[in-house]
Structure formats: structure tokens, C-alpha cells
Amino acid sequence: MNAIPEELKYTQTHEWVRVEGNEVIIGITHHAQELLGDMVYVELPETGSCFSIEEDCAVVESVKAASDIYAPLDGEIIAVNDNLADSPELINQSPYEEGWLIRMKITATEQLDNLLDANTYQDVIASEDSK
Amino acid sequence: MGKRTALYDLHLQSKAKIIDFGGWDMPLHYGSQVNEHHQIRQHTGIFDVSHMTIIDLRGEQVSPFLRYLLANDIAKLKQSGKALYSCMLNHQGGIIDDLIVYYISPQWFRLVVNASTREKDLAWIQQQASPYTLTVTERPELAMLAIQGSQVRQHITSLFPNNTDTIIALGKFFAHIEGDYFIARTGYTGEEGFEVICSAEQAKSLWHTALQSDIKPCGLGARDTLRLEAGMNLYGSDMDENTLPWESALGWTVALQDQNRDFIGKTALLAAKEKGISQRLVGLVLLDKGVLRNHQKVFTSSGEGEITSGSFSPTLAYSIAFARIPAGNEQHCEVEIRNRRLRAKIISPPFVRNGAACIDITT
């Protein structure tokens, strides 16, 4: 079992969120990349574009399938991980660090309270595995 | 729980990710589908394909029966062990399944058909065989392994110590048969390789031997991207009972040379040809960034079509597909992906054979 970083927050749909003041960095979890398999293409939003919570804001594609990434919070895209264009496999190799997807400036900080902590996210994975 | 092959526990030992495939619990990959794909193109790998359906046909009238049952003509098979790829058609000329038929002796032929079509194939074959003197015997007790890869010939001695010289000399699309041990120089990857049909115990032993010889286990995921690169159709995706061989890039498998031979679907095929074939199955290479997927819409100057098999090509590092599009001679088209139209080039498969690209996208 791969460790779920304690300092991050999570969504039911397997995104992780690193909070840095009123900005967040978003990626997909180790569990998500393992389910999807080898990444081959990533479609990221344009800097400056705005998304609402749960809106699809990016697409990651593995050999197997395309998968939508949902904005975990309301906000504006202030940066995307350009390295993924040539090396989408970074998501597999380093999902919590080099494989990050987008950086957002968030507009509704109270939404942070609804994100899952590491323990709760662990339970989400466990309940999926037992299905 | 689905059906399991004799090697199921060995797959778990190799950390297989198991998925349901047509009612079977089969390995999708053993860690990385892309690495397994490269393993075949650059080295050698082994697949468990025991889910495939093996059917033996024996009896005095096997030969005339198969000449009627199949669109390709088994009269082409003159030497024992020789294999032939064929479609099995319905009376409308649609494809019930694609298969390989092996000529073992004048009174014994072996068919290897798809797992997903097992029940309907067996029912159809039994129904069509009833006027003929022959027996139809499924061989579910036999296992089947595919050992494939650009370096596979280096492993012949260790894999087949008892008949090394015979296997080295085995011609392409030929099988060597010794009792229940059946070794064919065939495959579904576009690389050199063998497909071995044998008992469960023999299969386990061969699996162990292969892994000890640094041949890596490969799953159905890699098998799919390999066959797509190699320009080989997948039944149920690229063709089915509603598509003719000529609409499925399989016209070359329809044998019309012997005008006296009747076969199931022939009348319908000839009538369709007379009317004109309106669709073609082609290869696509995506020129823009993205990944082609099954059922995406394709736009050509002759009309709309659809992707039948789409994926990322690990060897070429861009996306490729098969698509069924209106007949015509366009060389470019557009594919709709998430409400955007992306540019693609129309090519004639294969994309990759024997480890090397066989298409040029610079023109």
C-alpha cells in the first residue's frame, strides 16, 4: 500500500489538493494513476480561465482511457504543469510532486473545509476496493 | 468471479491486474501495459491466451464442410500443419467471427476462434455441420500461450528443448504437432512468435521456463495495442455480423478463385459487390495532439464515419486508429474529440511491423 500524504487534501474523485495560502496545487492521487495505467496525453486548461467546483477542467488520458479531472474548488487557473505535454508519465512516476496538473487561485476558501483529509480518503479507496 | 485459465495463480504471482474479458478473469497487465508493449517490440514476452476457443473437426467430410463454412478456401492448405486466416460469414455476408484454421490431416482440422464469440460460433458450426459426416469437438481442457517478440528466436532452444531443430525450421503460419503439444508460428502482435496449444500442466511448465529465460509476462492491454499497430482487426470492434469483409479491410481473405465453390455468404457478397461497396476500413494517424478512441466521429469529404479501434501507439508515440469511413480516396480527415475537430491522416495499415514503423506521416 502506497502512503497517502498527510499534508494534502482529497476529493471523492481522486484529485489531491495542496493548499498554499489562497492558492492550491492540484493533481491526481497515486491510487488514481494506478487505476488509469500508463499516461500518454494530458489536456490542461488555459491560464486565466476560471472553473467552478466539480466542473471538468482537464483531461488525463492513459493507454486505456480518457478521464476527466474535476475542479476541487472554485478558482482561476494561474499555472499548469507544462512538463506533462512531453512527459505525461510523470503522473505515474511522481503523482504528488512532479506530476502535478494545475495551480489555482481560489475564490471561496470555505470550500476547503469540504475536502477530505488523508484518513477519510483512505476510507474512500478501501470502500472502492471492497466493491 | 469469471472463468479462470490454468495459469490464473501464476498471473497473481506475477502481480497481474486482473480484468473481466468476455466472462474470463484475465491479466490486463503486470504493472505497465506500455512496458509490456515495448517488451514485445524489443525483446520477448509471453501471453496467456487460454481463453481462446479451440475446436477440432474430424471426419471424412471435414474438407468439403470447411470449404462451405469459411470465406477463405481451405483447399489452399496442401501441407500438414499449414494455417489459414478466414472469416466465417452469415448468409448476409456479415462476419460471425474471424479465426485461424489449421490443416492437420485430411480428416482433422483445428479452428481457433475468439473467446467472446464461443457460444454462437459453436452453435453455428454445429448447425451447419449437421448434413456432413464429421464431429465437432471443443477442447476447453487445452491451454494456449503466445510467445512473441523480436528476439523470440533466441529462446527456441530453451523453450522447446525436445524439438528445437524442428521449431527452428518451422515455416511462417505453420504448426508442428506432437500428440497434444501443438506449436504454431503465428501471432497477433506483428512480431515473430509462436502460439502453443497444450495441456494445462505443459502450459504451466512452459510459462515457468519462459520466465526463467527472461521472457516477461504480458497482458491483454499490450496485446491490443500491439495488434492495432500491426494492422490486425479485433472482432466485435472492427467488424461484426453487420459488416462485410470488404467493409472491414478483409477482402483479401475472401477466396473467389474457384468459381465452383459455394460458401456461406457468397451470394450476398457478390450481390453487394455488384451494387458497390460503400464503406471502407482504414488506418488513421492523428496529426494533432490527443488520443483517438473507439466511436469518435470521423469527417471526410465523402461523409461521416467512426473510429472502430483507437489508442495511443507506444512504438510511434502518437495516436493511431482504425476507422470505418465512406468509400473514397481521401488521404486526410478530421476526428471529433471533445467537441473539437482534429486533423488525421488516412493510411493503409499496418502501422508497425517487425519492430519498425511502416508509415510516413511527414507527407
Side-chain angles (χ1 to χ4, degrees):
Chain A
M1 191 66 230
N2 224 276
I4 297 172
E6 290 284 340
E7 70 278 18
L8 304 180
K9 295 190 173 294
Y10 299 89
T11 68
Q12 296 276 352
T13 46
H14 308 292
E15 290 89 7
W16 57 258
V17 177
R18 185 187 302 277
V19 183
E20 294 184 351
N22 65 343
E23 294 179 10
V24 294
I25 301 167
I26 296 160
I28 67 167
T29 65
H30 173 80
H31 177 74
Q33 67 79 23
E34 200 169 56
L35 284 180
L36 289 165
D38 297 295
M39 291 297 166
V40 294
Y41 177 65
V42 180
E43 202 170 280
L44 296 172
E46 298 209 4
T47 308
S49 54
C50 292
F51 292 91
S52 306
I53 188 165
E54 292 176 9
E55 193 179 349
D56 47 318
C57 62
V59 179
V60 294
E61 299 210 30
S62 67
V63 181
K64 211 160 57 175
S67 181
D68 287 327
I69 304 301
Y70 301 99
L73 306 151
D74 293 352
E76 178 190 342
I77 307 296
I78 52 174
V80 299
N81 185 354
D82 291 326
N83 294 334
L84 298 178
D86 289 328
S87 304
E89 67 278 6
L90 289 174
I91 296 174
N92 299 113
Q93 291 163 1
S94 176
Y96 298 111
E97 302 291 339
E98 289 176 72
W100 67 278
L101 298 174
I102 54 181
R103 180 183 274 268
M104 277 178 112
K105 182 184 264 181
I106 55 173
T107 48
T109 46
E110 71 278 7
Q111 290 174 340
L112 287 170
D113 299 337
N114 297 330
L115 295 173
L116 313 177
D117 63 19
N119 281 335
T120 316
Y121 179 63
Q122 172 70 66
D123 294 341
V124 170
I125 300 177
S127 70
E128 271 189 10
D129 285 347
S130 62
K131 270 179 201 166
Chain B
M1 192 180 94
K3 289 191 270 185
R4 293 177 171 179
T5 75
L7 283 82
Y8 182 81
D9 290 340
L10 298 179
H11 299 319
L12 296 187
Q13 280 176 27
S14 290
K15 300 194 166 39
K17 160 88 178 159
I18 302 287
I19 52 146
D20 171 65
F21 184 84
W24 289 82
D25 289 343
M26 296 299 289
L28 177 65
H29 60 72
Y30 301 82
S32 165
Q33 170 175 346
V34 169
N35 288 351
E36 290 162 27
H37 181 108
H38 293 315
Q39 177 72 23
I40 302 294
R41 290 275 178 257
Q42 294 161 14
H43 307 283
T44 305
I46 184 165
F47 302 84
D48 179 11
V49 288
S50 301
H51 60 306
M52 300 289 287
T53 306
I54 302 158
I55 303 166
D56 281 343
L57 300 176
R58 288 174 184 262
E60 271 174 38
Q61 291 188 304
V62 166
S63 183
F65 169 63
L66 285 172
R67 293 195 77 198
Y68 175 65
L69 182 76
L70 302 178
N72 210 337
D73 190 355
I74 56 102
K76 293 174 183 171
L77 305 176
K78 311 273 189 216
Q79 287 173 272
S80 174
K82 184 68 181 166
L84 183 72
Y85 175 74
S86 181
C87 290
M88 180 164 74
L89 304 179
N90 59 28
H91 290 292
Q92 292 73 46
I95 303 169
I96 294 175
D97 202 3
D98 65 333
L99 54 84
I100 291 182
V101 54
Y102 293 94
Y103 166 57
I104 300 174
S105 74
Q107 296 193 15
W108 179 18
F109 287 72
R110 171 168 286 179
L111 307 182
V112 178
V113 308
N114 284 298
S116 55
T117 51
R118 174 184 169 273
E119 284 82 13
K120 71 164 186 177
D121 286 4
L122 280 166
W124 178 260
I125 292 167
Q126 267 150 358
Q127 182 196 339
Q128 299 304 325
S130 61
Y132 294 86
T133 309
L134 60 92
T135 58
V136 178
T137 312
E138 194 198 355
R139 303 294 305 273
E141 76 283 11
L142 296 179
M144 184 163 166
L145 301 179
I147 305 167
Q148 305 275 305
S150 57
Q151 308 303 311
V152 68
R153 298 193 69 80
Q154 294 177 8
H155 297 283
I156 291 176
T157 311
S158 53
L159 291 170
F160 310 114
N162 300 328
N163 34 31
T164 302
D165 292 343
T166 311
I167 301 308
I168 286 173
L170 193 64
K172 280 194 177 175
F173 242 60
F174 268 95
H176 172 68
I177 302 124
E178 269 181 36
D180 265 345
Y181 212 88
F182 180 105
I183 304 164
R185 193 170 161 197
T186 52
Y188 195 48
T189 61
E191 298 296 331
E192 269 290 340
F194 300 96
E195 292 178 306
V196 180
I197 296 171
C198 56
S199 72
E201 287 313 309
Q202 288 166 329
K204 288 180 201 169
S205 162
L206 185 59
W207 184 269
H208 282 300
T209 306
L211 265 51
Q212 279 161 15
S213 312
D214 217 24
I215 294 172
K216 299 276 192 294
C218 297
L220 295 185
R223 187 168 152 88
D224 191 50
T225 48
L226 288 159
R227 69 92 195 167
L228 180 63
E229 285 186 350
M232 296 171 173
N233 289 17
L234 173 64
Y235 188 80
S237 292
D238 305 312
M239 71 285 202
D240 60 27
E241 296 191 20
N242 299 311
T243 56
L244 306 174
W246 290 316
E247 298 167 331
S248 312
L250 293 173
W252 61 277
T253 69
V254 178
L256 296 168
Q257 291 85 346
D258 181 353
Q259 293 181 359
N260 296 320
R261 180 176 77 106
D262 187 26
F263 62 86
I264 299 170
K266 182 181 182 182
T267 310
L269 282 189
L270 293 178
K273 196 158 205 179
E274 188 74 24
K275 260 178 68 183
I277 304 298
S278 61
Q279 295 182 301
R280 56 179 178 145
L281 190 76
V282 297
L284 299 186
V285 173
L286 187 62
L287 300 175
D288 292 323
K289 286 264 184 183
V291 184
L292 302 170
R293 302 285 181 190
N294 299 18
H295 307 302
Q296 286 168 346
K297 268 192 193 172
V298 180
F299 299 88
T300 77
S301 50
S302 306
E304 282 185 28
E306 186 180 285
I307 288 182
T308 57
S309 287
S311 188
F312 176 81
S313 159
T315 307
L316 303 172
Y318 42 74
S319 185
I320 59 171
F322 296 152
R324 183 166 284 106
I325 59 173
N329 52 15
E330 299 91 348
Q331 293 180 348
H332 290 87
C333 64
E334 289 185 328
V335 181
E336 190 176 282
I337 304 179
R338 292 188 283 277
N339 299 318
R340 281 193 302 158
R341 297 247 186 128
L342 303 184
R343 296 172 304 133
K345 182 173 177 174
I346 298 171
I347 66 112
S348 179
F351 302 90
V352 178
R353 272 290 164 95
N354 298 320
C358 18
I359 50 167
D360 177 12
I361 57 159
T362 55
T363 55

